[in-house]
Amino acid sequence: MDMTNDVGTCTLTYESAALGYSDFPLTEEPVYLLGIKYSALYDRDDLKKDFLSRIWCTYRKNFPAIGGTGPTSDAGWGCMLRCGQMMLAQALVVRHLGRDWRWNPNCHDESYKRVLQMFADKKSANYSIQQIASMGVSEGKQVGSWFGPNTVAQVLKKLAVYDEWSSLVIHIAMDNTVIENDIRSVCKGNEQSDCDIIGVRQLKHNSAAMGQSKSSSQNSSNQNKNKQNTVDVKSWKPLLLVIPLRLGLTEINSVYVHSLKACLSFPQSVGIIGGKPNHAHWFIGYMGDKLIYLDPHTTQPSEDLDSPNFPDDSYHCPFPSTMNVMDLDPSIALGFYCGTEKEFDDLTQSVQKFVVSSSKNPMFELYKDRPHHWPPYEPYTAQSASATGFTMVDGLDTEEEFELIG
């Protein structure tokens, strides 16, 4: 498929907005992309290949109806769900393939295919639009409703419990506060899950069967020799840390811009989900005062990711979109992936230096232990679910969801 021509066709289905595709500008300013620093002049090919390798989740149409009788397209309401998918997909790519992995149109890497299949538009996929939208009911969101950053993070946290292949812990730091030892307790613990929600017990079975059926091909593939990250989940479960924030009332407070960009330069960064009201993007880097993002507002046909040699180029966008950082809506969620405890230690040191200590008004706080007046920390497991399969969580995506810090 000619990706340039395909993108030109897809942009006709964009929701109205002042955005469009363009190449990276020829600038002397450094470009940061998910923790890697590039020169737009001298590292141009590497920069474009890195951007192209990110998994691009967009609106899709003609997929199996959500709930059997619900929507068959998420156009117009699913943009934040797709952004959540993109952030999580990046964490899983780093988890199973490594940050240095790069996609190409003839990619046959089995781990990559398996990651992508987890986001297929069908109920049996762990992180499908069907699973996310259905689980959103537990967050007070009816199927077809628009999500905010915190809601999609809460939903993905619940679904990740059933992804045994990745053994990923999603920790959501609320109240603008990261508690280090809360995170260590869940990443170094061994919680088990035995409760079923919206059919995800079957997902675990399917995931295990998929792993068995593909083990022979994975073992024989030379591509996987240095791409499958070695993670000892007994000593540290891989962490996706999500920090929902509100950085102002109706517009972002400029005092947070420096720290925001610093977070995108950390090697643990898996981007930021946010954008404008009811118009979400996944931000993955910056150059100067421009944020670089992937936009889900393109409606593409649903793909059958179970077919042999399925087409996957519609999951990779060749051209970046950019916007001025001051145009960012103040409601965002930061994402960081730490595959080892050492990476988490490095992240906390960077946060302390470049976010907390560098500003009189830090974006969020970092503490070793919970304040004494806080209730005990209770990590989410599937056992937390009620008999109906859902856990009601207080707080929706309204202004009251965030503590205003600026």
Side-chain angles (χ1 to χ4, degrees):
M1 178 184 295
D2 185 337
M3 295 192 66
T4 302
N5 291 337
D6 181 58
V7 167
T9 301
C10 288
T11 54
L12 296 177
T13 65
Y14 269 101
E15 296 175 353
S16 59
L19 47 87
Y21 286 116
S22 62
D23 207 344
F24 287 99
L26 296 171
T27 174
E28 294 185 355
E29 291 184 301
V31 179
Y32 286 89
L33 206 66
L34 296 173
I36 297 181
K37 181 180 179 181
Y38 291 100
S39 165
L41 298 177
Y42 306 109
D43 305 322
R44 194 166 188 80
D45 289 343
D46 292 338
L47 170 62
K48 294 170 71 173
K49 187 175 293 185
D50 190 355
F51 180 85
L52 180 62
S53 297
R54 300 315 107 213
I55 292 179
W56 184 37
C57 299
T58 72
Y59 289 154
R60 296 279 173 172
K61 61 182 179 180
N62 302 326
F63 52 64
I66 298 175
T69 58
T72 58
S73 172
D74 60 314
W77 59 270
C79 56
M80 184 61 78
L81 286 68
R82 297 301 186 179
C83 289
Q85 286 182 322
M86 286 190 276
M87 175 182 280
L88 177 57
Q90 176 61 21
L92 295 181
V93 165
V94 179
R95 162 72 175 90
H96 295 291
L97 297 162
R99 178 63 182 89
D100 295 333
W101 174 83
R102 297 294 180 262
W103 176 82
N104 65 73
N106 298 311
C107 183
H108 299 296
D109 189 292
E110 295 297 337
S111 292
Y112 158 70
K113 290 183 178 180
R114 188 171 176 184
V115 168
L116 198 59
Q117 287 168 337
M118 299 177 88
F119 299 92
D121 297 315
K122 60 180 184 177
K123 183 180 177 181
S124 60
N126 293 65
Y127 304 114
S128 64
I129 193 73
Q130 287 85 350
Q131 288 288 345
I132 298 173
S134 298
M135 181 64 82
V137 176
S138 71
E139 300 296 316
K141 297 290 188 180
Q142 296 301 311
V143 173
S145 299
W146 194 86
F147 284 24
N150 179 53
T151 297
V152 73
Q154 297 287 352
V155 167
L156 293 174
K157 178 178 72 171
K158 294 180 178 183
L159 293 176
V161 171
Y162 303 91
D163 178 8
E164 293 184 333
W165 178 49
S166 304
S167 299
L168 186 71
V169 168
I170 298 181
H171 179 87
I172 303 172
M174 300 303 293
D175 301 315
N176 311 313
T177 305
V178 176
I179 308 297
E180 292 184 39
N181 285 337
D182 285 355
I183 294 171
R184 295 184 195 280
S185 69
V186 68
C187 288
K188 301 178 78 169
N190 189 31
E191 294 81 10
Q192 298 295 323
S193 60
D194 59 6
C195 180
D196 193 28
I197 52 176
I198 54 176
V200 281
R201 185 186 299 278
Q202 184 63 35
L203 297 186
K204 295 170 69 174
H205 174 77
N206 292 347
S207 180
M210 182 185 298
Q212 293 174 1
S213 66
K214 292 181 177 180
S215 60
S216 59
S217 60
Q218 282 182 287
N219 291 337
S220 63
S221 174
N222 291 329
Q223 295 185 64
N224 288 321
K225 284 185 177 180
N226 55 3
K227 292 180 180 178
Q228 179 76 27
N229 278 4
T230 301
V231 175
D232 182 7
V233 297
K234 293 182 179 179
S235 62
W236 178 269
K237 292 180 181 178
L239 167 70
L240 173 57
L241 172 61
V242 182
I243 310 174
L245 299 169
R246 188 172 184 93
L247 306 179
L249 291 172
T250 59
E251 59 185 28
I252 188 170
N253 191 324
S254 60
V255 72
Y256 303 120
V257 169
H258 179 77
S259 296
L260 193 70
K261 293 195 294 185
C263 287
L264 288 169
S265 72
F266 297 164
Q268 299 85 359
S269 175
V270 289
I272 301 169
I273 51 177
K276 291 183 177 295
N278 297 337
H279 202 92
H281 307 309
W282 179 44
F283 299 92
I284 61 174
Y286 73 92
M287 48 187 174
D289 291 328
K290 296 287 188 180
L291 294 176
I292 302 166
Y293 64 90
L294 281 167
D295 193 310
H297 298 90
T298 297
T299 304
Q300 304 187 86
S302 180
E303 296 281 5
D304 179 9
L305 300 185
D306 288 331
S307 61
N309 300 317
F310 58 80
D312 64 341
D313 43 4
S314 69
Y315 287 89
H316 297 274
C317 181
F319 300 116
S321 295
T322 62
M323 64 178 279
N324 191 286
V325 66
M326 293 306 298
D327 293 332
L328 181 67
D329 185 84
S331 295
I332 65 168
L334 308 174
F336 304 97
Y337 172 79
C338 301
T340 65
E341 188 172 11
K342 173 64 165 58
E343 291 176 2
F344 179 65
D345 291 340
D346 292 344
L347 174 63
T348 58
Q349 292 175 16
S350 296
V351 166
Q352 185 63 48
K353 180 177 181 180
F354 297 106
V355 176
V356 177
S357 299
S358 65
S359 174
K360 294 181 180 179
N361 300 288
M363 288 196 303
F364 58 90
E365 299 290 349
L366 177 68
Y367 296 116
K368 290 284 186 182
D369 298 296
R370 295 175 73 80
H372 294 299
H373 62 280
W374 282 26
Y377 174 61
E378 296 182 2
Y380 178 83
T381 68
Q383 294 172 342
S384 306
S386 67
T388 60
F390 297 108
T391 299
M392 297 305 295
V393 178
D394 293 334
L396 304 177
D397 284 282
T398 64
E399 290 188 357
E400 288 74 26
E401 174 190 16
F402 303 88
E403 177 184 349
L404 302 184
I405 62 176

